[in-house]
Amino acid sequence: MSPLKTIQDENLTIWLPRLAGNKGPRFLQIADALQAAVADRSLTPGDRLPTQRQLAAQLDVDLTTITRAYDEARRRNLLEGRGARGTYVAAPKVELTAILDLSMNTPPPPDRVDFDDMLKQGLSQVLMRADNELLMTYHLGGGSDSDRQAGAKWLAPMFGHLDSGQLVVCPGAQAAIAALILALTEPGDVILAEPTSYPGLRAAATQFGRRIIAVEADRHGMVPEMLEQACRQHKPGLVYVNPTLQNPTAITIPERRRKELSSIAKRCNVRIVEDDPYWLLADAPPPPVATFAPEQVVYISTLSKCLTPGLRVAFVLIRDPHERERFLVALRSFALMVAPLTAALATQWILDGSAAGLMEGIRKEARLRHRMARDILAGRYSGSGDGLHVWLELPAYWNSSQLARAADREGIAVTPAEAFATGSGSVNAIRISLGCIKDRGRLQAGLQRLSHLLARRPDSFSAAVV
Protein backbone atom coordinates (compact mmCIF):
# COMPACT_ATOMS: atom_id res chain seq x y z
CA MET A 1 0.00 0.00 0.00
CA SER A 2 1.72 3.19 -1.11
CA PRO A 3 0.91 6.75 -0.05
CA LEU A 4 -1.39 8.82 -2.21
CA LYS A 5 0.99 11.78 -2.10
CA THR A 6 3.80 13.37 -0.13
CA ILE A 7 4.41 17.09 -0.39
CA GLN A 8 7.21 18.94 1.39
CA ASP A 9 5.95 22.21 2.87
CA GLU A 10 8.11 24.13 5.35
CA ASN A 11 9.73 20.96 6.71
CA LEU A 12 6.33 19.25 7.14
CA THR A 13 5.60 16.17 5.06
CA ILE A 14 1.96 16.11 3.98
CA TRP A 15 1.43 12.37 3.72
CA LEU A 16 -1.90 10.76 2.86
CA PRO A 17 -2.35 6.99 2.58
CA ARG A 18 -5.07 5.32 0.54
CA LEU A 19 -7.73 3.68 2.71
CA ALA A 20 -10.02 0.88 1.58
CA GLY A 21 -13.20 -0.16 3.35
CA ASN A 22 -12.61 -3.90 2.97
CA LYS A 23 -8.90 -4.12 3.88
CA GLY A 24 -9.14 -4.43 7.64
CA PRO A 25 -9.03 -1.86 10.48
CA ARG A 26 -8.17 1.64 9.28
CA PHE A 27 -5.47 2.19 11.87
CA LEU A 28 -3.64 -0.89 10.58
CA GLN A 29 -4.06 0.29 6.98
CA ILE A 30 -2.42 3.59 7.94
CA ALA A 31 0.43 1.84 9.78
CA ASP A 32 0.93 -0.55 6.83
CA ALA A 33 0.97 2.41 4.42
CA LEU A 34 3.57 4.13 6.57
CA GLN A 35 5.71 1.01 6.52
CA ALA A 36 5.37 0.74 2.71
CA ALA A 37 6.26 4.41 2.28
CA VAL A 38 9.40 3.99 4.38
CA ALA A 39 10.31 0.85 2.43
CA ASP A 40 10.00 2.55 -0.97
CA ARG A 41 11.61 5.74 0.40
CA SER A 42 8.59 7.94 -0.24
CA LEU A 43 9.22 8.76 3.40
CA THR A 44 12.78 8.91 4.70
CA PRO A 45 14.29 9.13 8.19
CA GLY A 46 13.89 12.62 9.56
CA ASP A 47 10.72 13.48 7.64
CA ARG A 48 8.29 15.28 9.92
CA LEU A 49 4.74 13.93 9.74
CA PRO A 50 1.44 15.75 10.17
CA THR A 51 0.03 16.03 13.66
CA GLN A 52 -2.57 13.45 14.54
CA ARG A 53 -5.35 16.04 14.30
CA GLN A 54 -4.15 17.21 10.88
CA LEU A 55 -4.03 13.68 9.49
CA ALA A 56 -7.42 12.82 11.02
CA ALA A 57 -8.96 15.85 9.33
CA GLN A 58 -7.33 15.09 5.97
CA LEU A 59 -8.50 11.47 6.01
CA ASP A 60 -11.89 12.23 7.59
CA VAL A 61 -11.41 9.68 10.37
CA ASP A 62 -11.64 10.06 14.13
CA LEU A 63 -8.60 11.06 16.16
CA THR A 64 -8.48 7.73 18.00
CA THR A 65 -7.82 5.92 14.71
CA ILE A 66 -4.78 8.09 14.01
CA THR A 67 -3.53 7.73 17.58
CA ARG A 68 -3.70 3.94 17.30
CA ALA A 69 -2.03 4.06 13.86
CA TYR A 70 0.86 6.16 15.16
CA ASP A 71 1.19 3.91 18.23
CA GLU A 72 1.36 0.84 15.96
CA ALA A 73 3.94 2.58 13.75
CA ARG A 74 6.06 3.35 16.83
CA ARG A 75 5.81 -0.29 17.89
CA ARG A 76 7.24 -1.19 14.48
CA ASN A 77 10.05 1.33 15.03
CA LEU A 78 8.85 3.49 12.13
CA LEU A 79 8.21 6.71 14.06
CA GLU A 80 9.75 8.66 16.90
CA GLY A 81 8.33 11.54 18.89
CA ARG A 82 10.44 14.64 19.53
CA GLY A 83 8.27 16.38 22.08
CA ALA A 84 6.83 19.71 20.98
CA ARG A 85 8.73 19.48 17.69
CA GLY A 86 6.37 16.75 16.45
CA THR A 87 6.52 13.20 15.08
CA TYR A 88 9.24 12.08 12.67
CA VAL A 89 10.12 9.06 10.57
CA ALA A 90 12.63 7.11 12.64
CA ALA A 91 16.07 6.05 11.52
CA PRO A 92 16.43 2.28 10.98
CA LYS A 93 16.86 0.41 14.23
CA VAL A 94 20.28 -1.17 14.58
CA GLU A 95 19.91 -4.88 15.27
CA LEU A 96 22.60 -5.69 17.81
CA THR A 97 21.92 -9.42 17.77
CA ALA A 98 21.92 -11.39 14.55
CA ILE A 99 20.57 -14.59 16.10
CA LEU A 100 17.53 -15.99 14.30
CA ASP A 101 15.80 -18.07 16.96
CA LEU A 102 14.36 -21.30 15.58
CA SER A 103 14.72 -23.07 18.94
CA MET A 104 11.78 -21.88 21.06
CA ASN A 105 8.25 -23.25 20.59
CA THR A 106 6.06 -20.17 20.97
CA PRO A 107 2.95 -19.16 19.01
CA PRO A 108 3.63 -16.91 16.01
CA PRO A 109 2.10 -13.43 15.87
CA PRO A 110 -1.55 -14.00 14.98
CA ASP A 111 -2.78 -13.41 11.44
CA ARG A 112 -5.06 -10.33 11.16
CA VAL A 113 -5.48 -9.99 14.93
CA ASP A 114 -4.61 -6.77 16.76
CA PHE A 115 -3.07 -8.40 19.82
CA ASP A 116 -2.16 -5.11 21.52
CA ASP A 117 -5.75 -3.90 21.33
CA MET A 118 -7.05 -7.28 22.47
CA LEU A 119 -4.74 -7.14 25.50
CA LYS A 120 -5.83 -3.61 26.42
CA GLN A 121 -9.52 -4.40 25.97
CA GLY A 122 -9.27 -7.64 27.94
CA LEU A 123 -7.48 -6.04 30.88
CA SER A 124 -9.94 -3.16 30.82
CA GLN A 125 -12.85 -5.59 31.08
CA VAL A 126 -11.15 -7.51 33.91
CA LEU A 127 -10.44 -4.38 35.92
CA MET A 128 -13.95 -3.05 35.34
CA ARG A 129 -15.76 -6.24 36.36
CA ALA A 130 -13.48 -7.86 38.95
CA ASP A 131 -12.85 -7.02 42.58
CA ASN A 132 -9.36 -5.54 42.39
CA GLU A 133 -8.55 -6.70 45.92
CA LEU A 134 -9.22 -10.29 44.86
CA LEU A 135 -6.84 -9.86 41.94
CA MET A 136 -4.03 -9.01 44.35
CA THR A 137 -4.43 -11.63 47.07
CA TYR A 138 -3.84 -15.36 47.59
CA HIS A 139 -6.04 -17.98 45.89
CA LEU A 140 -5.76 -21.54 47.15
CA GLY A 141 -8.39 -23.53 45.27
CA GLY A 142 -6.78 -24.35 41.92
CA GLY A 143 -8.69 -21.59 40.19
CA SER A 144 -11.93 -19.72 40.83
CA ASP A 145 -15.30 -21.07 39.73
CA SER A 146 -15.17 -18.71 36.72
CA ASP A 147 -11.66 -19.88 35.83
CA ARG A 148 -12.75 -23.52 35.91
CA GLN A 149 -15.85 -22.73 33.84
CA ALA A 150 -13.57 -21.09 31.30
CA GLY A 151 -11.43 -24.24 31.39
CA ALA A 152 -14.50 -26.38 30.68
CA LYS A 153 -15.32 -24.17 27.68
CA TRP A 154 -11.69 -24.37 26.48
CA LEU A 155 -11.78 -28.17 26.64
CA ALA A 156 -15.23 -28.52 25.08
CA PRO A 157 -13.86 -29.18 21.54
CA MET A 158 -12.00 -32.20 22.94
CA PHE A 159 -14.53 -33.57 25.43
CA GLY A 160 -17.88 -31.88 24.97
CA HIS A 161 -19.61 -30.93 28.23
CA LEU A 162 -17.37 -31.22 31.31
CA ASP A 163 -17.95 -30.88 35.02
CA SER A 164 -15.79 -27.83 35.80
CA GLY A 165 -15.29 -29.19 39.32
CA GLN A 166 -12.99 -31.85 37.82
CA LEU A 167 -10.59 -29.18 36.55
CA VAL A 168 -7.60 -27.59 38.23
CA VAL A 169 -6.15 -24.31 36.96
CA CYS A 170 -2.34 -24.38 37.04
CA PRO A 171 0.49 -21.92 36.36
CA GLY A 172 1.52 -23.66 33.13
CA ALA A 173 1.90 -27.23 31.93
CA GLN A 174 5.40 -27.67 33.35
CA ALA A 175 4.10 -26.99 36.86
CA ALA A 176 1.27 -29.45 36.24
CA ILE A 177 3.67 -32.20 35.10
CA ALA A 178 5.92 -31.65 38.12
CA ALA A 179 2.96 -31.74 40.53
CA LEU A 180 1.60 -34.94 38.95
CA ILE A 181 4.99 -36.62 39.36
CA LEU A 182 5.03 -35.63 43.04
CA ALA A 183 1.41 -36.62 43.63
CA LEU A 184 1.20 -39.92 41.76
CA THR A 185 4.68 -41.45 42.08
CA GLU A 186 7.29 -42.20 44.74
CA PRO A 187 11.08 -41.62 44.67
CA GLY A 188 12.71 -44.29 42.52
CA ASP A 189 9.53 -44.98 40.52
CA VAL A 190 9.67 -45.44 36.76
CA ILE A 191 7.99 -43.10 34.29
CA LEU A 192 7.53 -44.49 30.78
CA ALA A 193 7.83 -42.16 27.80
CA GLU A 194 8.71 -42.23 24.13
CA PRO A 195 12.43 -42.28 23.24
CA THR A 196 12.19 -38.68 22.05
CA SER A 197 10.06 -36.57 24.34
CA TYR A 198 9.44 -33.17 25.96
CA PRO A 199 12.60 -32.09 27.88
CA GLY A 200 10.56 -30.65 30.76
CA LEU A 201 9.47 -34.17 31.70
CA ARG A 202 13.06 -35.35 32.05
CA ALA A 203 14.01 -32.25 34.03
CA ALA A 204 11.20 -32.71 36.56
CA ALA A 205 11.67 -36.47 36.88
CA THR A 206 15.41 -36.12 37.47
CA GLN A 207 14.90 -33.39 40.06
CA PHE A 208 12.43 -35.55 42.00
CA GLY A 209 14.45 -38.77 41.83
CA ARG A 210 12.26 -40.67 39.35
CA ARG A 211 13.59 -42.76 36.45
CA ILE A 212 12.47 -42.36 32.85
CA ILE A 213 12.52 -45.47 30.70
CA ALA A 214 11.96 -45.14 26.96
CA VAL A 215 9.32 -47.23 25.21
CA GLU A 216 9.85 -47.96 21.55
CA ALA A 217 7.88 -45.75 19.14
CA ASP A 218 7.16 -45.90 15.43
CA ARG A 219 5.66 -43.44 12.96
CA HIS A 220 2.32 -43.72 14.81
CA GLY A 221 3.75 -43.08 18.28
CA MET A 222 4.35 -45.39 21.23
CA VAL A 223 4.13 -49.07 20.20
CA PRO A 224 1.33 -50.75 22.22
CA GLU A 225 3.00 -54.15 22.58
CA MET A 226 6.18 -52.52 23.89
CA LEU A 227 4.19 -50.36 26.31
CA GLU A 228 2.40 -53.37 27.77
CA GLN A 229 5.67 -55.26 28.11
CA ALA A 230 7.30 -52.26 29.86
CA CYS A 231 4.31 -51.84 32.19
CA ARG A 232 4.50 -55.47 33.32
CA GLN A 233 8.29 -55.37 33.66
CA HIS A 234 8.81 -52.01 35.39
CA LYS A 235 5.48 -51.37 37.19
CA PRO A 236 5.64 -47.66 36.31
CA GLY A 237 4.14 -44.89 38.36
CA LEU A 238 3.13 -43.00 35.21
CA VAL A 239 3.12 -43.17 31.43
CA TYR A 240 3.69 -39.85 29.69
CA VAL A 241 2.37 -39.15 26.19
CA ASN A 242 2.23 -36.02 24.04
CA PRO A 243 -0.08 -37.46 21.39
CA THR A 244 -0.93 -34.55 19.06
CA LEU A 245 1.79 -32.89 16.96
CA GLN A 246 4.24 -34.40 19.39
CA ASN A 247 7.13 -32.31 20.66
CA PRO A 248 9.54 -32.72 18.93
CA THR A 249 8.65 -35.26 16.21
CA ALA A 250 5.31 -33.61 15.21
CA ILE A 251 3.71 -37.11 15.07
CA THR A 252 -0.01 -37.32 15.83
CA ILE A 253 -1.03 -40.68 17.28
CA PRO A 254 -4.01 -42.01 15.26
CA GLU A 255 -7.29 -42.87 16.98
CA ARG A 256 -6.84 -46.64 16.79
CA ARG A 257 -3.45 -46.42 18.50
CA ARG A 258 -4.90 -44.13 21.17
CA LYS A 259 -7.57 -46.72 21.95
CA GLU A 260 -4.91 -49.43 22.22
CA LEU A 261 -2.83 -47.35 24.62
CA SER A 262 -5.87 -46.62 26.79
CA SER A 263 -6.78 -50.32 26.90
CA ILE A 264 -3.28 -51.17 28.13
CA ALA A 265 -3.55 -48.50 30.84
CA LYS A 266 -6.75 -50.14 32.06
CA ARG A 267 -5.35 -53.69 31.97
CA CYS A 268 -2.14 -52.70 33.73
CA ASN A 269 -3.84 -50.20 36.06
CA VAL A 270 -1.35 -47.44 35.26
CA ARG A 271 -1.95 -43.70 35.04
CA ILE A 272 -1.31 -41.89 31.77
CA VAL A 273 -0.40 -38.21 31.77
CA GLU A 274 -1.66 -36.86 28.46
CA ASP A 275 0.15 -33.59 27.80
CA ASP A 276 -1.73 -32.15 24.81
CA PRO A 277 -0.76 -28.50 24.15
CA TYR A 278 -1.22 -28.57 20.36
CA TRP A 279 -4.60 -30.32 19.96
CA LEU A 280 -6.46 -27.10 19.10
CA LEU A 281 -3.84 -26.16 16.50
CA ALA A 282 -4.14 -29.45 14.62
CA ASP A 283 -6.34 -30.13 11.61
CA ALA A 284 -9.05 -32.64 12.66
CA PRO A 285 -7.06 -34.36 15.45
CA PRO A 286 -8.31 -37.65 16.93
CA PRO A 287 -10.10 -37.59 20.28
CA PRO A 288 -7.77 -37.41 23.30
CA VAL A 289 -6.63 -40.64 24.93
CA ALA A 290 -8.56 -39.45 28.00
CA THR A 291 -11.87 -39.94 26.16
CA PHE A 292 -11.19 -43.69 25.94
CA ALA A 293 -9.97 -44.19 29.52
CA PRO A 294 -11.26 -41.23 31.56
CA GLU A 295 -10.43 -42.81 34.93
CA GLN A 296 -6.88 -43.72 33.91
CA VAL A 297 -5.78 -40.54 32.15
CA VAL A 298 -4.96 -37.09 33.48
CA TYR A 299 -5.26 -34.52 30.70
CA ILE A 300 -3.26 -31.26 30.47
CA SER A 301 -4.08 -28.39 28.11
CA THR A 302 -1.99 -25.22 28.27
CA LEU A 303 -2.72 -21.81 26.77
CA SER A 304 1.00 -21.21 26.18
CA LYS A 305 1.08 -22.82 22.73
CA CYS A 306 -2.33 -21.76 21.42
CA LEU A 307 -2.54 -18.20 22.82
CA THR A 308 0.53 -16.80 24.58
CA PRO A 309 3.07 -18.10 27.13
CA GLY A 310 2.73 -14.93 29.21
CA LEU A 311 -0.65 -16.01 30.60
CA ARG A 312 0.96 -18.97 32.44
CA VAL A 313 -2.36 -20.82 32.58
CA ALA A 314 -3.02 -24.51 32.02
CA PHE A 315 -6.11 -26.63 32.69
CA VAL A 316 -5.73 -30.10 34.18
CA LEU A 317 -8.61 -32.60 33.99
CA ILE A 318 -8.49 -35.12 36.87
CA ARG A 319 -11.62 -37.22 37.30
CA ASP A 320 -10.69 -38.91 40.58
CA PRO A 321 -11.41 -36.51 43.50
CA HIS A 322 -8.75 -38.08 45.77
CA GLU A 323 -6.07 -37.79 43.09
CA ARG A 324 -7.21 -34.24 42.42
CA GLU A 325 -6.69 -33.31 46.06
CA ARG A 326 -3.25 -34.96 46.14
CA PHE A 327 -2.36 -33.08 43.00
CA LEU A 328 -3.42 -29.76 44.55
CA VAL A 329 -1.34 -30.44 47.68
CA ALA A 330 1.70 -31.24 45.54
CA LEU A 331 1.17 -28.19 43.33
CA ARG A 332 0.93 -25.84 46.33
CA SER A 333 4.27 -27.07 47.64
CA PHE A 334 6.07 -25.10 44.92
CA ALA A 335 3.47 -23.07 42.99
CA LEU A 336 0.76 -21.74 45.28
CA MET A 337 -1.48 -20.37 42.55
CA VAL A 338 -1.84 -18.96 39.08
CA ALA A 339 -1.34 -15.19 39.11
CA PRO A 340 -4.95 -14.01 39.59
CA LEU A 341 -4.67 -11.16 37.09
CA THR A 342 -3.49 -13.35 34.21
CA ALA A 343 -5.97 -16.09 35.13
CA ALA A 344 -8.76 -13.50 35.06
CA LEU A 345 -7.54 -12.24 31.68
CA ALA A 346 -7.48 -15.79 30.28
CA THR A 347 -10.99 -16.38 31.63
CA GLN A 348 -12.25 -13.12 30.13
CA TRP A 349 -10.80 -13.97 26.71
CA ILE A 350 -12.20 -17.52 26.72
CA LEU A 351 -15.69 -16.56 27.87
CA ASP A 352 -16.07 -13.53 25.56
CA GLY A 353 -14.73 -15.37 22.48
CA SER A 354 -11.50 -13.38 22.13
CA ALA A 355 -9.39 -16.48 22.78
CA ALA A 356 -11.02 -18.33 19.89
CA GLY A 357 -10.30 -15.44 17.53
CA LEU A 358 -6.70 -15.18 18.69
CA MET A 359 -6.19 -18.92 18.35
CA GLU A 360 -7.62 -18.93 14.82
CA GLY A 361 -5.21 -16.15 13.87
CA ILE A 362 -2.29 -18.12 15.31
CA ARG A 363 -3.44 -21.27 13.51
CA LYS A 364 -3.57 -19.45 10.16
CA GLU A 365 -0.17 -17.85 10.67
CA ALA A 366 1.36 -21.18 11.73
CA ARG A 367 0.07 -22.89 8.59
CA LEU A 368 1.42 -20.12 6.41
CA ARG A 369 4.82 -20.56 8.07
CA HIS A 370 4.69 -24.30 7.52
CA ARG A 371 4.12 -23.67 3.80
CA MET A 372 7.14 -21.40 3.81
CA ALA A 373 9.25 -24.06 5.53
CA ARG A 374 8.05 -26.73 3.10
CA ASP A 375 8.98 -24.57 0.10
CA ILE A 376 12.43 -23.64 1.43
CA LEU A 377 13.43 -26.97 2.96
CA ALA A 378 12.01 -28.90 -0.02
CA GLY A 379 12.59 -32.64 0.30
CA ARG A 380 13.85 -32.36 3.87
CA TYR A 381 10.53 -31.02 5.23
CA SER A 382 8.46 -33.74 6.92
CA GLY A 383 5.94 -31.68 8.91
CA SER A 384 2.17 -32.06 8.96
CA GLY A 385 1.45 -28.44 8.06
CA ASP A 386 0.10 -27.70 11.56
CA GLY A 387 1.52 -26.71 14.92
CA LEU A 388 4.57 -24.72 15.85
CA HIS A 389 7.55 -26.84 14.78
CA VAL A 390 9.17 -29.09 12.20
CA TRP A 391 11.24 -32.20 12.97
CA LEU A 392 14.03 -32.29 10.42
CA GLU A 393 16.01 -35.49 9.93
CA LEU A 394 19.56 -34.71 8.86
CA PRO A 395 21.72 -36.03 6.04
CA ALA A 396 24.28 -38.61 7.17
CA TYR A 397 27.21 -36.20 6.91
CA TRP A 398 25.76 -34.09 9.76
CA ASN A 399 24.96 -35.09 13.33
CA SER A 400 22.48 -33.00 15.25
CA SER A 401 24.83 -31.49 17.85
CA GLN A 402 27.37 -30.66 15.16
CA LEU A 403 24.69 -29.05 13.00
CA ALA A 404 23.36 -27.02 15.96
CA ARG A 405 26.86 -25.66 16.65
CA ALA A 406 27.41 -24.84 12.99
CA ALA A 407 24.01 -23.13 12.82
CA ASP A 408 24.91 -21.06 15.86
CA ARG A 409 28.03 -19.83 14.06
CA GLU A 410 25.73 -18.84 11.20
CA GLY A 411 23.50 -16.86 13.57
CA ILE A 412 20.70 -19.46 13.81
CA ALA A 413 19.48 -21.21 16.96
CA VAL A 414 17.99 -24.70 16.55
CA THR A 415 17.45 -27.56 19.01
CA PRO A 416 19.32 -30.86 18.47
CA ALA A 417 17.69 -34.25 19.01
CA GLU A 418 19.83 -34.92 22.10
CA ALA A 419 17.81 -32.33 24.03
CA PHE A 420 14.73 -34.56 23.71
CA ALA A 421 16.27 -38.00 24.30
CA THR A 422 14.83 -40.03 27.18
CA GLY A 423 16.91 -43.13 26.41
CA SER A 424 20.55 -43.83 25.60
CA GLY A 425 20.27 -43.15 21.87
CA SER A 426 18.65 -40.48 19.75
CA VAL A 427 17.74 -39.95 16.13
CA ASN A 428 19.82 -37.68 13.94
CA ALA A 429 17.50 -34.69 13.69
CA ILE A 430 16.83 -31.14 14.81
CA ARG A 431 13.67 -29.35 15.84
CA ILE A 432 12.91 -26.12 13.97
CA SER A 433 10.43 -23.83 15.71
CA LEU A 434 8.50 -21.51 13.42
CA GLY A 435 6.82 -19.08 15.83
CA CYS A 436 9.52 -17.30 17.82
CA ILE A 437 10.68 -15.00 15.00
CA LYS A 438 7.93 -12.41 14.66
CA ASP A 439 8.79 -11.07 11.22
CA ARG A 440 8.12 -13.45 8.31
CA GLY A 441 10.97 -11.97 6.31
CA ARG A 442 13.47 -12.77 9.06
CA LEU A 443 12.00 -16.26 9.41
CA GLN A 444 12.39 -16.78 5.67
CA ALA A 445 16.00 -15.60 5.87
CA GLY A 446 16.70 -17.99 8.74
CA LEU A 447 15.18 -20.97 6.95
CA GLN A 448 17.08 -20.17 3.75
CA ARG A 449 20.33 -19.83 5.66
CA LEU A 450 19.65 -23.15 7.37
CA SER A 451 18.84 -24.82 4.04
CA HIS A 452 22.15 -23.65 2.59
CA LEU A 453 23.96 -24.92 5.67
CA LEU A 454 22.35 -28.36 5.35
CA ALA A 455 23.55 -28.60 1.76
CA ARG A 456 27.16 -28.10 2.82
CA ARG A 457 29.36 -30.67 4.49
CA PRO A 458 30.98 -30.09 7.88
CA ASP A 459 34.51 -30.24 6.44
CA SER A 460 33.75 -27.21 4.24
CA PHE A 461 34.02 -25.00 7.35
CA SER A 462 37.30 -23.43 8.26
CA ALA A 463 38.10 -22.28 11.76
CA ALA A 464 38.34 -18.57 12.32
CA VAL A 465 41.33 -17.25 14.28
CA VAL A 466 40.81 -14.02 16.21
Side-chain angles (χ1 to χ4, degrees):
M1 184 186 302
S2 60
L4 179 61
K5 61 179 179 178
T6 58
I7 304 171
Q8 294 291 339
D9 180 17
E10 297 181 353
N11 298 320
L12 178 66
T13 303
I14 306 300
W15 173 81
L16 297 178
R18 291 189 178 95
L19 299 181
N22 60 348
K23 296 295 185 180
R26 288 191 167 189
F27 84 95
L28 285 180
Q29 291 186 51
I30 294 168
D32 289 344
L34 252 171
Q35 187 164 354
V38 170
D40 67 20
R41 300 192 63 79
S42 300
L43 291 173
T44 58
D47 283 347
R48 181 183 169 202
L49 291 179
T51 67
Q52 294 181 26
R53 291 187 183 280
Q54 288 172 326
L55 191 56
Q58 289 286 338
L59 295 176
D60 192 26
V61 299
D62 61 82
L63 182 60
T64 302
T65 297
I66 304 301
T67 300
R68 293 179 69 192
Y70 274 27
D71 286 345
E72 173 65 16
R74 288 189 188 93
R75 189 185 68 79
R76 300 182 192 182
N77 301 306
L78 299 171
L79 300 182
E80 60 183 3
R82 299 182 186 175
R85 295 168 58 194
T87 301
Y88 293 78
V89 176
K93 185 179 179 181
V94 177
E95 186 63 65
L96 297 179
T97 175
I99 288 292
L100 296 167
D101 191 356
L102 301 175
S103 67
M104 184 68 71
N105 253 11
T106 60
D111 181 62
R112 298 184 181 278
V113 175
D114 181 2
F115 182 78
D116 289 348
D117 184 63
M118 180 178 160
L119 183 60
K120 292 174 185 175
Q121 293 291 334
L123 287 171
S124 175
Q125 292 295 312
V126 167
L127 295 175
M128 182 172 63
R129 297 179 180 181
D131 182 336
N132 292 344
E133 289 187 8
L134 288 177
L135 294 176
M136 291 294 129
T137 191
Y138 290 112
H139 294 241
L140 303 179
S144 69
D145 288 343
S146 294
D147 297 337
R148 289 193 290 270
Q149 288 168 15
K153 181 175 180 179
W154 182 256
L155 296 178
M158 300 83 147
F159 297 100
H161 176 73
L162 278 176
D163 176 1
S164 62
Q166 297 178 334
L167 296 177
V168 178
V169 186
C170 296
Q174 180 64 32
I177 291 168
L180 285 168
I181 291 173
L182 282 174
L184 303 181
T185 67
E186 299 293 335
D189 276 359
V190 165
I191 298 172
L192 300 179
E194 292 176 325
T196 304
S197 195
Y198 170 54
L201 171 71
R202 185 176 63 187
T206 300
Q207 188 70 27
F208 297 144
R210 276 63 165 175
R211 293 187 298 139
I212 294 182
I213 292 179
V215 177
E216 182 181 332
D218 60 19
R219 63 189 180 89
H220 296 305
M222 191 177 282
V223 176
E225 295 80 8
M226 302 307 294
L227 172 62
E228 184 156 13
Q229 178 180 320
C231 285
R232 300 194 184 285
Q233 179 180 351
H234 299 291
K235 302 294 189 290
L238 291 175
V239 176
Y240 174 89
V241 294
N242 174 199
T244 311
L245 299 173
Q246 195 249 17
N247 182 16
T249 64
I251 287 172
T252 292
I253 298 176
E255 182 172 345
R256 179 178 176 181
R257 178 71 57 92
R258 295 178 186 222
K259 290 178 178 178
E260 292 173 323
L261 298 179
S262 66
S263 295
I264 292 167
K266 292 175 185 177
R267 285 199 300 273
C268 296
N269 193 28
V270 64
R271 288 289 178 269
I272 292 179
V273 172
E274 184 175 12
D275 183 15
D276 210 13
Y278 307 109
W279 195 95
L280 290 166
L281 295 178
D283 183 19
V289 179
T291 59
F292 305 117
E295 302 303 324
Q296 301 295 135
V297 182
V298 177
Y299 187 84
I300 305 173
S301 178
T302 178
L303 306 187
S304 295
K305 306 305 182 183
C306 294
L307 298 183
T308 175
L311 290 173
R312 302 311 305 142
V313 171
F315 301 112
V316 181
L317 174 61
I318 309 181
R319 309 272 188 176
D320 186 299
H322 301 294
E323 286 188 354
R324 191 161 58 250
E325 185 56 37
R326 287 162 57 195
F327 171 72
L328 276 167
V329 170
L331 182 66
R332 290 171 191 153
S333 70
F334 62 88
L336 190 62
M337 62 183 185
V338 180
L341 182 59
T342 56
L345 178 60
T347 294
Q348 175 68 37
W349 278 352
I350 292 170
L351 295 181
D352 72 14
S354 299
L358 176 58
M359 184 175 60
E360 183 60 27
I362 289 169
R363 184 188 291 118
K364 288 179 179 178
E365 179 67 22
R367 289 174 180 172
L368 184 152
R369 290 172 178 235
H370 270 276
R371 290 196 295 272
M372 180 190 296
R374 182 173 58 244
D375 291 343
I376 293 171
L377 299 172
R380 295 187 178 92
Y381 174 88
S382 59
S384 64
D386 298 307
L388 307 181
H389 63 277
V390 175
W391 186 238
L392 198 71
E393 295 194 9
L394 300 178
Y397 50 80
W398 282 109
N399 69 58
S400 61
S401 293
Q402 181 187 45
L403 189 280
R405 290 192 298 270
D408 185 67
R409 291 195 294 269
E410 296 279 312
I412 308 166
V414 297
T415 309
E418 288 84 350
F420 305 98
T422 58
S424 57
S426 67
V427 296
N428 189 29
I430 58 171
R431 189 192 70 182
I432 301 171
S433 299
L434 301 176
C436 194
I437 299 175
K438 290 186 177 181
D439 182 73
R440 289 179 194 165
R442 295 190 75 233
L443 174 63
Q444 182 180 37
L447 292 171
Q448 288 172 338
R449 200 182 300 177
L450 184 62
S451 180
H452 294 153
L453 177 62
L454 286 164
R456 295 150 61 184
R457 292 179 178 271
D459 60 8
S460 66
F461 290 96
S462 58
V465 179
V466 294

